[in-house]
Amino acid sequence: MNLKELSQRLQLSQTTVSRALNGYPEVSPATRARVAEMAEQLGYMPNSQARRLATGRSMAIGHVIPRSIHEMMNPIFLEFIAGAGETYSKHGYDMILSVVEDADEEEAYRQIATRKKADGVIIHGPSRTEHRHKLLQGLNLPFVVHGRIPGAEEETSWIDMNNRRAFERATNLLLDLGHTRIALLNGLEYMDFAHRRREGFENALAARNLTADPELMRSADMTEPFGCDNAISMLRLDNPPTAFLVSSMITAIGVARAVGQCGLQTGKDVSIITHDDALSFLPNSGEVPIFTCTRSSVRYAGQKAAELLLDMISDPFQKPSSLHLDAELIIGQSTGPAP
């Protein structure tokens, strides 16, 4: 199947079909969708070299990863990349991953822009004092933020889960069950998502005239040992927590291990609620899931972030857009009334 044959099947000119496949804004959305559907049915794949010459684009998307970024170099990031890659592949785009030293991150973006190595990039792990968007705006390089940049929500395109609301709902569930000694094991709180989760936790407590106990609040890389070690130290306090709110399934597994090592039972003596990114290799599934969780698929976020970015590339004059996702609250075996 070549372009000429595809055009004949669609009864459209080769120019129109080519422009539809390459996302030109002057082709109507209905025609683009019709062409894409027929191309998929017939197994047509445009020649990458020809597309680059026809559009002047690199037909690649960049992801720049500094070596020291903790949150990014883990399975959650890989799940996001898997989702984004599915979208790139459908639209004939390649993916470029650049792992660089921290001091070289800005130069990596400059090289992408000046050498036209990619048509756009995705910013990962925005911090509370984020600045990368300013650099990319100056380079005129399209980008989408996975997360949100405080104060720049209107001027940037982004996709994010409503972290504050998710953790407020989770905290309220524990409070409704009678828990008042609730521990928070969070991600690194200089990162925006973790800061918002802490706000949701503290807001829910404040609404019930309760104050978060600093002794029961920890933040670090979201690893299994972080969950286990900190849960053990808290459970050995004179006034231990009866519930844990956790930012990662991986960390929650560590908390559950700690509960068992302390001779206690999850869901009876100690309740656990975790955030679940719906990781394909670590399903929290079954008729009654093991963990009560706030669930939002990071793979889906990757798919949608890629779609936002490709839309921006095809229409550079469109206004910034965003997608704010709500997490589901799934009741599992790990929660119960306060003992």
Side-chain angles (χ1 to χ4, degrees):
M1 175 61 60
N2 57 37
L3 182 63
K4 181 179 179 180
E5 292 169 333
L6 178 62
S7 302
Q8 291 172 343
R9 291 290 293 271
L10 287 162
Q11 297 184 332
L12 295 170
S13 71
Q14 292 185 49
T15 300
T16 298
V17 173
S18 176
R19 288 179 174 271
L21 291 170
N22 289 307
Y24 280 83
E26 58 264 32
V27 180
S28 72
T31 299
R32 289 206 302 268
R34 180 179 160 221
V35 171
E37 182 180 2
M38 181 65 75
E40 184 174 359
Q41 287 178 3
L42 299 177
Y44 172 77
M45 292 295 293
N47 180 279
S48 297
Q49 184 70 14
R51 290 189 71 180
R52 291 185 178 97
L53 292 172
T55 64
R57 298 175 186 160
S58 67
M59 302 306 297
I61 302 298
H63 296 258
V64 177
I65 313 299
R67 288 185 184 275
S68 72
I69 288 190
H70 310 270
E71 169 67 6
M72 294 303 98
M73 302 303 291
N74 67 22
I76 296 172
F77 170 70
L78 296 179
E79 197 81 15
F80 178 92
I81 284 293
E86 291 170 4
T87 299
Y88 301 152
S89 179
K90 287 179 183 177
H91 292 82
Y93 274 78
D94 296 323
M95 184 193 314
I96 298 174
L97 288 178
S98 301
V99 180
V100 300
E101 301 296 340
D102 289 35
D104 298 330
E105 183 179 8
E106 288 196 5
E107 180 59 23
Y109 285 121
R110 294 184 192 279
Q111 291 292 324
I112 288 173
T114 58
R115 295 187 180 183
K116 300 187 183 300
K117 295 167 65 177
D119 298 316
V121 297
I122 290 183
I123 293 179
H124 298 278
S127 72
R128 299 290 297 169
T129 56
E130 188 56 59
H131 65 277
R132 285 172 289 177
H133 62 300
K134 296 294 185 184
L135 170 66
L136 296 174
Q137 287 169 341
L139 293 171
N140 199 30
L141 184 62
F143 66 91
V144 166
V145 185
H146 180 208
R148 274 184 286 171
I149 299 174
E153 289 92 344
E154 299 300 320
E155 64 180 271
T156 58
S157 291
W158 52 268
I159 181 168
D160 194 20
M161 185 192 80
N162 194 329
N163 288 285
R164 185 184 293 113
R165 182 183 299 168
F167 271 49
E168 191 169 346
R169 289 180 68 197
T171 306
N172 279 326
L173 174 59
L174 291 171
L175 292 169
D176 289 344
L177 290 170
H179 296 278
T180 56
R181 292 285 290 169
I182 304 172
L184 174 67
L185 294 183
N186 203 4
L188 294 162
E189 290 180 350
Y190 72 82
M191 299 180 78
D192 184 71
F193 83 91
H195 181 85
R196 293 179 190 274
R197 290 180 184 183
R198 176 170 174 156
E199 284 184 337
F201 172 68
E202 292 177 331
N203 290 347
L205 291 173
R208 312 263 185 130
N209 296 315
L210 297 171
T211 303
D213 184 348
E215 197 171 27
L216 300 183
M217 300 172 70
R218 312 282 170 85
S219 67
D221 287 321
M222 297 186 298
T223 64
E224 194 273 352
F226 164 62
C228 185
D229 295 346
N230 283 279
I232 286 175
S233 67
M234 291 179 182
L235 290 170
R236 288 175 176 169
L237 293 171
D238 292 336
N239 187 14
T242 61
F244 286 84
L245 180 55
V246 189
S247 264
S248 164
M249 272 274 290
I250 297 169
T251 304
I253 291 170
V255 175
R257 179 161 68 94
V259 171
Q261 288 182 6
C262 291
L264 303 171
Q265 186 175 340
T266 298
K268 180 180 179 182
D269 303 307
V270 179
S271 288
I272 302 172
I273 297 182
T274 185
H275 180 67
D276 177 10
D277 289 291
L279 302 178
S280 57
F281 73 97
L282 191 64
N284 180 37
S285 56
E287 187 174 340
V288 181
I290 295 173
F291 288 108
T292 294
C293 65
T294 57
R295 179 179 293 164
S296 180
S297 169
V298 72
R299 180 182 286 255
Y300 177 77
Q303 293 169 348
K304 303 308 288 186
E307 289 176 9
L308 284 177
L309 183 54
L310 295 181
D311 285 345
M312 291 178 62
I313 292 168
S314 66
D315 182 7
F317 300 104
Q318 69 172 272
K319 294 181 179 179
S321 56
S322 59
L323 184 58
H324 207 187
L325 304 173
D326 264 321
E328 299 177 90
L329 183 60
I330 308 294
I331 306 301
Q333 302 172 24
S334 65
T335 52

